[in-house]
Amino acid sequence: MAGAKGDKPAKADKAAKVAAAVAKSSKGRKKETGLGLTNTKDGNFGEWYSEVVTNGEMIEYYEISGCYILRPWTMAIWDVMQNFFDPEIKKMNIKTCYFPLFVSNNVLQKEKDHIEGFAPEVAWVTRSGDSDLEVPIAIRPTSETVMYPYYSKWIRGHRDLPLKLNQWCNVVRWEFSNPTPFIRSREFLWQEGHTAFATKEEADTEVLQILELYRRLYEEYLAVPVVKGQKSELEKFAGGLYTTSVEAFIPNTGRGVQGATSHCLGQNFAKMFEINFEDEKGEKAMVWQNSWAYSTRTIGVMVMVHGDDKGLVLPPKVSSVQVIVVHVPYKDADVKEIINACSETVKTLCDAGIRAEADLRENYSPGWKYSHWEMKGVPLRIEIGPKDLASNQVRAVRRDKGTKVDIPMAGLVDSVNGMLDDIQKNMFEVAKQKRDACIQVTKTWDEFVEALGQKKLILAPWCNEEEVEKEVKAKTKGEIGAAKTLCSPFEQPELPEGTLCFASGKPAKKWTYWGRSY
Amino acid sequence: MGALRLPCLTSIVSVSSARSSLFPRGRSSHLLNVRKLSSTAKVEVAPAVQEQGITPRSQDFNAWYLDVISMAELADYGPVRGTMVIRPYGYAIWEAIQDYLNIKFKESGHSNMYFPQFIPYSFIEKEASHVEGFSPELALVTVGGGKELEEKLVVRPTSETIVNHMFTQWIHSYRDLPLMINQWVNVTRWEMRTKPFIRTLEFLWQEGHTAHATPEEAEREAMQMIDVYTKFAYEQAAIPVIPGRKSRVETFAGADRTYTIEAMMGDRKALQAGTSHNLGQNFSRAFGTQFADENGQRQHVWQTSWAISTRFVGGIIMTHGDDAGLMLPPRLASIQVVIVPIWKKANEKDEVLDDALSVKDVLHSAGIKVKLDDSDQRTPGWKFNFWEMKGVPLRIEIGPRDVSSKSVVISRRDIPGKPGKVFGISMESSVLVPYVKEKLDEIQSSLLDKAIAFRDSNIVDVSSYDELKEAISQGKWARGPWVGSDEDELKVKEETGATIRCFPFDQPQGPKTCLMTGSPAEEVAIFAKSY
C-alpha cells in the first residue's frame, strides 16, 4: 500500500544505517534505531503511553493541546470497530443520520442539569470572517440538545415510535486537565445513539442490548475484559435517569476507565423538549429516551491494556495488518526467489481473507523491520529466508508471546488462521488474568485505603448513598486523584444480611467497584 | 402523473415555526377519508389535501426542491441558520456514495486518517491566496472551556494547511513518497446564502491529500481522481457530468490547476459536483514540505487535493427528480424495491401478506434492497404515491388475484403510469430475481440516457458573445472558443450571470476563434449559470 509507505518513522533513514548492528542484540532497548521506547510500561506509564501511540504511528501530537491527529494505523482500527457496530445496530433498525455541529446557546441551555455538566467544557464560535457573531454559537459537546427539538417535531403519534437514530461524528469538550491521546482529548470521534420509545420497558431493554454490543466490542474485538454495571447517582449522565457502562481497568496505573456508556434518560429531556405523542388510546404521553456512545477512547484503552515495552500489541481482529511478511536475505542467497516466496505468501494469505502485507524494502535490515512491526503491534510476523525456502516452510513469530514456530507452506492458511485465533484468545485471557489479579474485596475503610494504595480494583459493599461517595472522594483526594465508584456490577456476589458499608458503616445495599479512574 | 396527492408539510422556510408541519402526522382524519374512498390502487384524494402536494417542478424548481427534501424526509433545517439535519433517508444516499468511493480510494493506495477540526489561524495565513480565498467564510473559535483562547482557532473549511503542517514532519526522503491520504469529515464555511445539501455552513465531505516527488505524478494523481469522480457520477449516480479544467478565475485558492465535474441540474443550472486540484508546490513552499531526492537534493513536494461532498446528494435530487418527487438511481437507492400488499377483506390479508413476505425474502437473499410496506394505517394508493415521492426505483404490488396466480405486478418509478407497469411476473425466485435485477439495471441506464439527452439538448455551440448571451438568456449552457482575459470572464459574469464552468477535456477538433476577442483559440469553454 502506497499510503502506508509514507508512514515511516521520522528517523528512518538514519536508523537504517545502524539497524543491522543493533538487530543482532535482539534484547534490550534499541535506542540506536530510533525505534525502541525510552520508557517502560512499569517504569513511567504516562511517558510510555505517549511514546507507544506516537512511535506506533497511531497518533501525532499537534500544535493545539488536546487535539491529536489520528493516523491510518488508528483509523483502520476505528473502521473495523465501526464495521462491526454499525451493521449490528442497523439490524436493530437504528438508522444513521447527521445533525449539525453547531448548537445555539438557547437550545444548549434548555436542560439545566445537563448544561451544568457540560457548560464548562464548551468551545464557542464567536466570529465569522471579520465580523463578530451577534450571538456566540457552541460546538456540540454531545448532541442531546441539538437533536431533541427535532424529536419533538418528528414524533406525533405512537406510530412514530420508536424513533431510533445514530450518528458518527466528532465532538468537542474543551477540558484542561491532562489531555491524553484517545483517553481524554478535546476533540474526539464517536457514535452517539439517541432513541425514543413509548414505554420505559422498551427503553430499558435497549439500554442493555447496546451495552452488550459494547461488551462485545471490548472483549471480542479489542480483547479487553470489561465489567457491565450501573453508575452511581453521582457518576451518572447529567440529566439522565440512570447510566450503565462497561468498565475497563488498567493494572499498571490502578485506574478504571469508563469504556462506553448506555444511558436511560427517562422522561427528563422529553419534558424539557416537549417530546410528546398520542398513545393508542388517544391520550397525550411523554416518550422514554436513551442515549449511548462509544468513542475513540476505546482504542486508548486497548493500547494501555495490551501494549508492552516493545510497543503496541494489537488484537488480530482489529489490526489493519494481521501478518507482516519479512524477507531475510543472506549473502549468496537467491534474493529474488525469497522475495517471490514472500509475495506468494502474502497473496495466499490475502486470498484467504487474512490481512497480510510484505515488507520488502531493501534499505532496511530484517532486524530493523522486526522492531518496526513489533512497535506497530502486528500480531504475527512471518520470516522467510533461504533455509525456510529450502525446507518449504516459513517462520512465524507471535507478537503477544514472542514465540517462534516453523510452519510448513502446505496448510499455511489454516496454521495462520489458527494462530491468529489463538493470539486473539490469549490476549483476552492474559488481560483478564491481570485484571482479575487486581480485584480486591474490601469490607472496611482501612482495607479500602490499603487496597487503593496498592492500585487495586476495589469491590466493596456500599450503602449506595451519594453523600457517602462524596465523602470517600474527599477523603482520598490526593495528588493522583480521588477514588470514586466505577460501577455496581450487574453480576452481584452474594451480599449476606447484615453486611455493612465499608465507608459509612450503614447497612450495605450492593457490591460496587471503586477506584481511581481516567 | 399529476402533483403528489399527499398531505404536505408547510414549505420549510424556517424550523422555528415547523413544529406543526410534519408529514404525515396529525392528518389522520384526511387519511381515513382517503382510505374509505379507495378500495383499489386508484386513489381519489380530497382536493384540500391535493392542494398541499409537492410544488410541480416545472412551476417552481426551487420550491419543488425544498418540498422534495422535506417530504421525502431527506433533511431538515438545522437549529443554526444555514445548517442542516441530514435525516436517515438522505444520509443513506451519502452512505452509498461513501461505500463506493472508499473502496476506490483504498484500491488506488490511499489510507484514511483524521486531522483535528481546529486549525490555528496562523496556519491559514501561510499560503497567501488560500487565506484570501477563505477568510470571509471562516468560523473562528475564540472561547473554550470558559476562557479566551490564546490563539483564535479556525473551524476547518478544508485541511490543506494542517495537512501540510504534518506532511512537513512526516516526509523526509523520496522513499516517503508518494504520501496519499483521505479523510471523511465535516467542514465549515460561513456562507451567507444557503440551500440544503447545495450550500450549507457545515457539510460532510471526503478530502484527499497527496504529496509526490514529481509534478508529473501530481498531475497524474489529480487527473486520476477526477476520473474516479466522473466514473462514479456516470455509473452510480447516473449523472452525465462534464469533466474539465477550471478557468484561472475559478481555480481553487492555492491551486495551480483545478479540475471539476460539472453537472446540469433539472433547471439547467450547473452544479460543480466534485473537484480535484493540482496544488503544485504552493503549499509545500509555504510550509517548507521538502524531501531529499535520490541524489540527496532537497526539493519541495508536489501536491494534490480532491473532494466530493454532501452537495452531490443535492445534485442527485435535482438531476432525476420529477413532479412526483424524488427519483433515485437504483445503485444509490437504500430501498430499491418496495412491496405494497393489497387486500380488501380481512380474510385476504393473511395470504397476501404471506406471499408479500416470501417475495421480500426471495429478493432480500438475492442482495436486493427491498422494503415491505405492510402497515395497515395507509391505503395502497397512498403508499404508491408515498414511495414514488421517495423515489424508490421499483414497486411490486401483490393482491388477492396475484396470490392465486402466484405472480406480481411491477411498476417502474421512471416510467409513469401504465407503460411502466407489467402484470403477471411469476413469484418464482428463478423468474422474479433476474427480472427485478434486469429492471433495476434498465432504470439505471435509462436515467443516465435521459439525463444525457437533456444535457445535450441544452448545450449550445456559440461563436460570438451575442450568441453566448442569447443561449444564457434561454437558460442554456453555451460552449464556445475562449482565450479571453480574466476581465473578459468577469464581464461575462456581470452581464449574463454565467461563469466558465470548465474547459471540457473533450474538445472539438479544428481551428477556433475566441468568441470574445476574435483571437485564435486553443479550446472551447462552457459557460453557464450555476449553483
Side-chain angles (χ1 to χ4, degrees):
Chain A
M1 270 176 40
K5 223 168 110 192
D7 294 330
K8 277 182 305 203
K11 295 166 194 153
D13 287 333
K14 253 186 255 167
K17 291 172 192 158
V18 286
V22 179
K24 281 174 188 158
S25 62
S26 63
K27 274 180 190 165
R29 214 78 24 74
K30 293 161 197 146
K31 278 182 198 167
E32 302 89 331
T33 60
L35 285 180
L37 301 171
T38 54
N39 293 281
T40 59
K41 196 175 182 183
D42 289 334
N44 186 342
F45 186 84
E47 293 295 319
W48 168 85
Y49 177 72
S50 38
E51 256 193 307
V52 167
V53 293
T54 48
N55 293 12
E57 298 177 325
M58 298 194 86
I59 284 273
E60 190 77 64
Y61 281 79
Y62 177 53
E63 264 41 35
I64 302 170
S65 163
C67 293
Y68 305 96
I69 289 147
L70 308 181
R71 303 184 68 177
W73 206 238
T74 293
M75 286 312 284
I77 296 172
W78 185 244
D79 286 349
V80 170
M81 293 200 291
Q82 190 169 350
N83 288 341
F84 159 72
F85 190 78
D86 200 61
E88 284 296 330
I89 59 173
K90 279 183 175 147
K91 273 187 230 163
M92 293 166 65
N93 214 14
I94 292 159
K95 311 270 188 196
T96 319
C97 62
Y98 187 79
F99 281 75
L101 172 74
F102 299 111
V103 196
S104 60
N105 192 28
N106 56 343
V107 178
L108 191 66
Q109 302 288 348
K110 212 155 191 177
E111 211 294 330
K112 203 176 123 285
D113 290 341
H114 181 69
I115 193 55
E116 272 177 18
F118 285 104
E121 302 175 355
V122 171
W124 296 91
V125 175
T126 60
R127 299 181 61 188
S128 70
D130 292 329
S131 49
D132 288 334
L133 295 179
E134 270 177 42
V135 191
I137 290 169
I139 293 181
R140 66 178 159 226
T142 178
S143 299
E144 277 77 6
T145 58
V146 187
M147 293 169 103
Y148 297 167
Y150 292 88
Y151 282 49
S152 167
K153 180 181 163 186
W154 294 337
I155 296 169
R156 283 284 168 270
H158 62 92
R159 287 188 208 102
D160 302 324
L161 295 174
L163 179 60
K164 305 199 278 189
L165 301 179
N166 176 63
Q167 66 179 4
W168 297 90
C169 63
N170 59 339
V171 283
V172 172
R173 297 181 187 174
W174 215 257
E175 298 185 73
F176 286 94
S177 61
N178 298 328
T180 307
F182 297 121
I183 300 294
R184 182 177 289 109
S185 52
R186 285 176 168 174
E187 181 194 6
F188 54 90
L189 304 182
W190 75 354
Q191 62 67 217
E192 50 178 325
H194 296 267
T195 54
F197 301 90
T199 63
K200 180 167 185 295
E201 290 68 36
E202 288 170 90
D204 287 336
T205 306
E206 192 206 56
V207 164
L208 295 182
Q209 280 176 327
I210 294 294
L211 196 67
E212 172 61 10
L213 289 179
Y214 291 153
R215 183 200 66 78
R216 289 182 58 196
L217 204 54
Y218 270 98
E219 299 199 335
E220 294 174 14
Y221 283 78
L222 302 174
V224 170
V226 289
V227 176
K228 288 205 267 186
Q230 185 161 341
K231 286 284 187 184
S232 69
E233 281 300 298
L234 201 58
E235 292 294 322
K236 78 176 185 186
F237 181 71
L241 181 61
Y242 65 88
T243 291
T244 67
S245 69
V246 289
E247 298 283 331
F249 186 74
I250 312 299
N252 298 71
T253 58
R255 284 178 190 268
V257 191
Q258 178 174 293
T261 47
S262 179
H263 315 286
C264 179
L265 302 179
Q267 295 183 306
N268 195 21
F269 286 90
K271 201 165 157 191
M272 294 303 151
F273 289 93
E274 298 175 51
I275 312 176
N276 303 314
F277 68 101
E278 206 173 274
D279 68 16
E280 286 172 2
K281 291 168 211 144
E283 282 164 22
K284 197 175 138 186
M286 269 192 292
V287 300
W288 293 86
Q289 289 178 276
N290 294 339
S291 74
W292 28 271
Y294 81 82
S295 72
T296 33
R297 168 177 267 208
T298 46
I299 297 171
V301 175
M302 177 204 70
V303 172
M304 286 184 167
V305 167
H306 298 304
D308 64 17
D309 290 348
K310 287 179 176 176
L312 294 166
V313 183
L314 298 180
K317 266 194 156 172
V318 296
S319 185
S320 73
V321 177
Q322 296 172 312
V323 179
I324 185 74
V325 179
V326 177
H327 73 300
V328 189
Y330 277 80
K331 253 191 190 165
D332 307 327
D334 186 347
V335 177
K336 211 169 183 186
E337 206 186 338
I338 299 176
I339 286 180
N340 284 344
C342 287
S343 305
E344 269 307 304
T345 304
V346 167
K347 189 177 179 302
T348 308
L349 294 175
C350 285
D351 286 349
I354 295 164
R355 297 190 289 270
E357 275 182 27
D359 185 350
L360 302 175
R361 291 175 291 181
E362 283 169 14
N363 54 322
Y364 297 110
S365 71
W368 187 94
K369 292 178 186 172
Y370 298 168
S371 304
H372 174 70
W373 294 106
E374 275 169 7
M375 175 70 70
K376 295 193 62 132
V378 172
L380 198 63
R381 177 174 79 235
I382 285 182
E383 305 165 7
I384 303 179
K387 278 186 205 161
D388 304 301
L389 213 56
S391 46
N392 214 11
Q393 64 181 29
V394 300
R395 163 151 301 190
V397 186
R398 281 172 65 147
R399 176 66 182 89
D400 61 332
K401 289 177 167 173
T403 49
K404 301 171 181 180
V405 287
D406 292 327
I407 48 181
M409 282 294 232
L412 179 74
V413 166
D414 286 347
S415 308
V416 168
N417 269 328
M419 288 178 89
L420 292 175
D421 284 350
D422 194 62
I423 293 169
Q424 183 81 28
K425 217 158 68 190
N426 180 61
M427 285 179 69
F428 177 74
E429 287 306 325
V430 168
K432 189 164 185 302
Q433 275 165 23
K434 281 189 188 159
R435 197 267 323 259
D436 289 350
C438 291
I439 298 177
Q440 178 89 45
V441 175
T442 68
K443 293 186 176 167
T444 67
W445 177 252
D446 289 345
E447 284 173 15
F448 178 84
V449 172
E450 197 192 337
L452 195 63
Q454 293 166 347
K455 300 180 178 176
K456 296 292 187 185
L457 171 55
I458 299 165
L459 184 59
W462 180 41
C463 60
N464 198 22
E465 286 178 18
E466 203 171 326
E467 283 310 308
V468 174
E469 183 174 2
K470 280 183 184 162
E471 271 171 43
V472 173
K473 264 186 154 172
K475 275 158 76 178
T476 55
K477 204 171 182 181
E479 274 176 25
I480 52 171
K484 59 181 186 182
T485 59
L486 303 173
C487 74
S488 295
F490 291 145
E491 273 182 37
Q492 285 276 322
E494 201 194 330
L495 187 69
E497 190 114 358
T499 306
L500 300 179
C501 169
F502 78 100
S504 67
K506 294 177 188 173
K509 298 220 175 85
K510 54 167 110 172
W511 290 95
T512 299
Y513 281 106
W514 294 73
R516 296 196 171 92
S517 80
Y518 279 97
Chain B
M1 191 160 300
L4 185 79
R5 293 151 298 188
L6 281 173
C8 173
L9 357 171
T10 59
S11 71
I12 43 165
V13 178
S14 86
V15 71
S16 53
S17 64
R19 272 214 54 151
S20 59
S21 64
L22 246 292
F23 166 83
R25 284 132 203 161
R27 296 274 176 188
S28 46
S29 54
H30 282 306
L31 294 166
L32 283 175
N33 288 340
V34 172
R35 198 166 170 219
K36 278 174 199 154
L37 284 168
S38 64
S39 53
T40 66
K42 275 237 161 186
V43 190
E44 298 299 326
V45 182
V49 178
Q50 208 160 16
E51 276 169 17
Q52 295 173 331
I54 287 180
T55 308
R57 204 181 90 145
S58 47
Q59 185 186 318
D60 183 339
F61 194 81
N62 186 55
W64 166 84
Y65 177 71
L66 297 177
D67 281 353
V68 169
I69 285 176
S70 143
M71 294 183 62
E73 298 174 326
L74 296 167
D76 213 327
Y77 283 87
V80 171
R81 177 199 69 84
T83 63
M84 164 179 75
V85 174
I86 307 177
R87 304 185 67 177
Y89 200 62
Y91 199 85
I93 301 173
W94 181 237
E95 280 182 309
I97 294 173
Q98 285 186 306
D99 288 347
Y100 174 90
L101 289 179
N102 217 5
I103 290 171
K104 295 290 167 202
F105 296 159
K106 284 182 182 166
E107 276 174 2
S108 46
H110 304 88
S111 305
N112 280 339
M113 58 184 301
Y114 186 80
F115 286 89
Q117 180 177 32
F118 298 120
I119 302 173
Y121 191 77
S122 55
F123 283 22
I124 304 273
E125 287 176 313
K126 278 194 179 175
E127 214 286 333
S129 58
H130 190 64
V131 65
E132 199 190 311
F134 278 102
S135 69
E137 306 178 349
L138 297 178
L140 298 171
V141 173
T142 62
V143 178
K147 290 183 192 163
E148 193 83 21
L149 302 180
E150 278 173 26
E151 181 177 10
K152 55 188 176 188
L153 302 176
V154 174
V155 186
R156 70 176 152 234
T158 179
S159 301
E160 278 76 8
T161 57
I162 177 172
V163 164
N164 262 85
H165 178 75
M166 296 323 302
F167 275 17
T168 304
Q169 297 172 44
W170 293 335
I171 295 170
H172 298 274
S173 90
Y174 66 94
R175 291 198 196 90
D176 300 325
L177 298 174
L179 181 50
M180 309 203 286
I181 62 106
N182 175 63
Q183 64 175 359
W184 294 91
V185 297
N186 54 345
V187 283
T188 298
R189 297 179 188 176
W190 220 262
E191 306 264 10
M192 292 320 288
R193 284 186 190 174
T194 58
K195 188 183 177 95
F197 290 114
I198 299 302
R199 185 174 286 110
T200 46
L201 294 196
E202 182 200 8
F203 56 93
L204 304 181
W205 77 353
Q206 59 70 216
E207 49 178 325
H209 298 272
T210 66
H212 306 266
T214 65
E216 293 77 21
E217 272 182 70
E219 177 64 14
R220 207 154 47 230
E221 166 78 2
M223 290 292 277
Q224 171 183 293
M225 298 326 287
I226 207 68
D227 193 44
V228 167
Y229 291 159
T230 306
K231 278 210 179 79
F232 166 75
Y234 269 85
E235 291 169 14
Q236 303 294 311
I239 300 181
V241 295
I242 295 183
R245 190 187 80 252
K246 283 286 183 191
S247 68
R248 279 184 304 274
V249 173
E250 299 280 330
T251 294
F252 175 74
D256 277 359
R257 275 187 298 285
T258 289
Y259 300 115
T260 177
I261 48 172
E262 297 288 325
M264 184 185 286
M265 300 294 98
D267 61 352
R268 298 179 295 183
K269 272 167 111 173
L271 184 79
Q272 177 181 304
T275 50
S276 176
H277 314 292
N278 183 335
L279 303 174
Q281 294 180 315
N282 299 327
F283 286 89
S284 64
R285 287 183 185 279
F287 283 83
T289 317
Q290 291 179 303
F291 70 102
D293 69 15
E294 295 186 33
N295 305 317
Q297 300 289 311
R298 306 283 290 161
Q299 297 211 34
H300 288 99
V301 298
W302 301 84
Q303 293 181 268
T304 77
S305 68
W306 26 275
I308 265 190
S309 75
T310 37
R311 166 176 259 220
F312 206 100
V313 177
I316 292 167
I317 303 167
M318 289 200 281
T319 300
H320 302 301
D322 64 10
D323 284 351
L326 188 63
M327 199 182 308
L328 288 174
R331 287 190 192 145
L332 295 180
S334 60
I335 302 171
Q336 296 171 312
V337 179
V338 64
I339 302 171
V340 178
I342 303 165
W343 66 86
K344 287 180 207 165
K345 299 169 209 142
N347 62 350
E348 292 166 350
K349 181 178 171 180
D350 286 348
E351 54 176 23
V352 167
L353 278 186
D354 276 355
D355 274 3
L357 256 178
S358 67
V359 166
K360 181 193 162 188
D361 289 343
V362 160
L363 295 178
H364 179 76
S365 44
I368 294 160
K369 293 169 189 150
V370 56
K371 171 160 181 92
L372 168 61
D373 185 352
D374 58 0
S375 71
D376 49 15
Q377 314 304 325
R378 308 291 187 208
T379 63
W382 190 95
K383 290 177 186 176
F384 290 0
N385 292 332
F386 180 74
W387 294 109
E388 269 171 19
M389 184 268 293
K390 296 268 262 188
V392 174
L394 274 185
R395 178 179 75 226
I396 292 183
E397 302 158 29
I398 302 177
R401 253 185 300 172
D402 304 306
V403 168
S404 50
S405 66
K406 287 288 162 206
S407 67
V408 299
V409 181
I410 299 187
S411 301
R412 280 172 66 156
R413 170 65 180 88
D414 63 325
I415 304 176
K418 270 194 183 150
K421 200 161 184 166
V422 179
F423 295 83
I425 305 299
S426 166
M427 285 181 198
E428 190 57 45
S429 165
S430 60
V431 179
L432 185 64
V433 168
Y435 186 86
V436 166
K437 284 189 169 167
E438 193 191 315
K439 284 297 143 195
L440 289 174
D441 285 346
E442 272 178 43
I443 295 170
Q444 183 78 31
S445 55
S446 135
L447 286 184
L448 179 63
D449 291 345
K450 217 158 80 188
I452 289 174
F454 180 74
R455 179 197 70 184
D456 291 347
S457 65
N458 282 294
I459 300 180
V460 181
D461 282 310
V462 297
S463 52
S464 69
Y465 187 35
D466 282 342
E467 285 175 21
L468 182 146
K469 282 196 245 181
E470 171 68 16
I472 297 298
S473 71
Q474 287 171 1
K476 299 191 170 187
W477 292 16
R479 177 174 51 201
W482 183 265
V483 285
S485 63
D486 295 355
E487 290 71 36
D488 291 333
E489 192 180 333
L490 291 173
K491 179 183 160 197
V492 174
K493 187 178 180 180
E494 263 168 40
E495 292 179 2
T496 69
T499 50
I500 294 184
R501 300 320 302 157
C502 69
F503 295 95
F505 292 146
D506 191 10
Q507 285 284 334
Q509 299 297 311
K512 305 173 191 71
T513 311
C514 176
L515 66 90
M516 184 63 91
T517 63
S519 310
E522 290 285 313
E523 40 186 1
V524 295
I526 291 177
F527 289 80
K529 289 184 181 167
S530 74
Y531 279 100

